[in-house]
Amino acid sequence: SQQGEEDPQALSIQEGENATMNCSYKTSINNLQWYRQNSGRGLVHLILIRSNEREKHSGRLRVTLDTSKKSSSLLITASRAADTASYFCATDAGNSNYQLIWGAGTKLIIKP
Amino acid sequence: DVKVTQSSRYLVKRTGEKVFLECVQDMDHENMFWYRQDPGLGLRLIYFSYDVKMKEKGDIPEGYSVSREKKERFSLILESASTNQTSMYLCASSLFRGTGREQFFGPGTRLTVL
């Protein structure tokens, strides 16, 4: 079952611009995670935000969480060519199950 | 750094063959996961294991089985490969029980079944 849904499906911006990706989910959660996947590779964890947090920063990444709207956004500031990748959000199901539920991802292309 | 390795990056098999995909992690993680990734569908969980010899079905276990005889190794088995199992297979591990921990992924195995 798919809980997270990323928006947009694809995003193309110029190097140096900011990139914003959104994730919506359906049920209550304990936390939400963002991952990056470079072409044809495994996923790399970027950031985890808990349900009682509203905003979190890590370097050029800023994640917000709005539990009332069941949505999260990932902002990448001052984008670089190396940020070209697919970005996925993953949520737990709000229970003790080990499973993460994944969205289909946003494909981000940074044009030089 | 946690390292998760998968036995093959690319694999080509014929319909009906038995296929073994192996995953090894080197950080003593309790949890291990097998996903398949198809365009537009995100990651779908096939099986996971939270301890040696323990396994639980994910969303799409049909046609697959798993084995975890040692803590560091989690194998995915396709008993009789079919063309609809052509996909990218990703293995992951995480440290503790519960979903509040990040998952560490291997590089993936791109399996083609002819």
Side-chain angles (χ1 to χ4, degrees), chain B residues 26-45:
Chain B
D26 66 358
M27 285 300 288
D28 205 34
H29 284 178
E30 287 92 351
N31 300 334
M32 295 189 76
F33 308 84
W34 274 107
Y35 295 94
R36 65 176 282 176
Q37 183 180 25
D38 300 288
L41 295 178
L43 274 70
R44 292 181 293 167
L45 182 65

Side-chain angles (χ1 to χ4, degrees), chain B residues 2-26:
Chain B
V2 175
K3 193 167 182 184
V4 180
T5 56
Q6 295 183 228
S7 50
S8 305
R9 288 297 313 277
Y10 301 93
L11 208 53
V12 180
K13 295 292 181 181
R14 298 216 172 266
T15 301
E17 280 193 80
K18 191 169 186 175
V19 182
F20 293 87
L21 302 181
E22 292 208 318
C23 175
V24 178
Q25 50 94 3
D26 66 358

Side-chain angles (χ1 to χ4, degrees), chain A residues 1-2 30-31 33 35 37 40-45 48 50 88 92-93 95-100 102-104, chain B residues 9 33 35 37 40-43 45 48 50 58-59 88 90 97-103 105-108 110:
Chain A
S1 59
Q2 218 166 314
N30 294 315
N31 61 72
Q33 303 180 41
Y35 288 77
Q37 183 180 35
R41 296 279 178 174
L43 282 73
V44 174
H45 180 263
L48 181 151
R50 300 194 186 280
F88 295 87
D92 67 318
N95 55 33
S96 61
N97 193 299
Y98 309 131
Q99 193 168 337
L100 289 180
W102 298 81
Chain B
R9 288 297 313 277
F33 308 84
Y35 295 94
Q37 183 180 25
L41 295 178
L43 274 70
L45 182 65
F48 66 98
Y50 54 87
D59 293 323
M88 169 72 97
L90 293 166
R97 291 189 176 190
T99 58
R101 294 283 176 169
E102 65 182 284
Q103 293 187 7
F105 283 81
R110 189 166 293 281

Side-chain angles (χ1 to χ4, degrees), chain A residues 2-107:
Chain A
Q2 218 166 314
Q3 161 135 279
E5 290 185 11
E6 288 91 344
D7 168 55
Q9 290 186 331
L11 179 62
S12 181
I13 61 172
Q14 293 293 139
E15 193 168 17
E17 294 180 340
N18 295 342
T20 300
M21 289 158 273
N22 303 298
C23 170
S24 60
Y25 56 91
K26 295 177 183 145
T27 64
S28 61
I29 62 171
N30 294 315
N31 61 72
L32 183 145
Q33 303 180 41
W34 284 92
Y35 288 77
R36 181 188 74 228
Q37 183 180 35
N38 291 94
S39 180
R41 296 279 178 174
L43 282 73
V44 174
H45 180 263
L46 295 176
I47 201 162
L48 181 151
I49 186 166
R50 300 194 186 280
S51 59
N52 60 354
E53 297 175 310
R54 291 295 166 259
E55 189 171 311
K56 206 160 181 181
H57 295 255
S58 176
R60 293 184 296 112
L61 306 181
R62 173 178 165 244
V63 168
T64 61
L65 179 64
D66 187 335
T67 52
S68 66
K69 294 182 180 177
K70 292 186 169 61
S71 67
S72 172
S73 67
L74 170 66
L75 168 67
I76 303 174
T77 59
S79 63
R80 305 168 182 169
D83 295 327
T84 293
S86 292
Y87 293 81
F88 295 87
C89 69
T91 59
D92 67 318
N95 55 33
S96 61
N97 193 299
Y98 309 131
Q99 193 168 337
L100 289 180
I101 305 170
W102 298 81
T106 291
K107 187 164 186 175

Side-chain angles (χ1 to χ4, degrees), chain B residues 16-86:
Chain B
E17 280 193 80
K18 191 169 186 175
V19 182
F20 293 87
L21 302 181
E22 292 208 318
C23 175
V24 178
Q25 50 94 3
D26 66 358
M27 285 300 288
D28 205 34
H29 284 178
E30 287 92 351
N31 300 334
M32 295 189 76
F33 308 84
W34 274 107
Y35 295 94
R36 65 176 282 176
Q37 183 180 25
D38 300 288
L41 295 178
L43 274 70
R44 292 181 293 167
L45 182 65
I46 305 171
Y47 268 97
F48 66 98
S49 168
Y50 54 87
D51 203 349
V52 175
K53 296 193 187 294
M54 304 302 290
K55 61 184 179 184
E56 291 209 20
K57 293 178 181 179
D59 293 323
I60 51 164
E62 296 78 20
Y64 304 94
S65 62
V66 291
S67 172
R68 192 159 181 207
E69 296 297 318
K70 293 185 178 180
K71 192 173 186 179
E72 67 270 18
R73 189 179 297 267
F74 192 35
S75 301
L76 179 70
I77 302 146
L78 286 66
E79 295 291 341
S80 178
S82 63
T83 54
N84 63 14
Q85 292 178 310
T86 291

